[in-house]
Amino acid sequence: MTKQLDKPASKRRTAARIALGAILVFAGTSHLTFARDDFRAQVPEFVPLKEDTTVLLSGVAEITLGAALLFAPRSQRARVGGLAAAFFTAIFPGNIAQAIHHRDAFGLDSDAKRVGRLFGQPLLVAWALWSTRTAAK
């Protein structure tokens, strides 16, 4: 297994990891600035924190994960990918809450659009895991 960790990722995986990292940094920054109201629409009612606190904390988490995807040493990338996948899984209830409560945000102004978005979350999980794996032998 150690030898596989030493192998560099393919150029496609590297590009995908860098793109996902940049997207997360951008999304996290938007949590803290211009898209705060939209992100508040996704906070499920069961979260014990104030909506704005939840949005700010998740924004910091996204910036941190994005930076880690961009700059983590090769030996830690699979671990970071796993954390990003776990994060995408953990925030999935927010997407469900937005759909169930018919909350408009991010241009998702119909039930069909809100439900359709739910299918994107597994793709993000797969992206995080695939892009941080090393090249096959």
Side-chain angles (χ1 to χ4, degrees), residues 92-105:
F92 188 63
N95 296 343
I96 294 171
Q98 183 179 4
I100 289 172
H101 298 292
H102 313 284
R103 297 178 187 150
D104 294 350

Side-chain angles (χ1 to χ4, degrees), residues 28 31-32 39 43 53-63 87 91:
H31 276 69
L32 308 179
F39 282 109
V43 177
T53 301
T54 302
V55 169
L56 293 173
L57 290 174
S58 62
V60 170
E62 285 189 357
I63 292 168
F87 177 78
I91 64 171

Side-chain angles (χ1 to χ4, degrees), residues 41 80 88 92 94 115 117 121 132 137:
V80 172
F88 291 136
F92 188 63
V115 170
R117 181 182 191 204
Q121 208 73 11
T132 56
K137 290 184 176 182

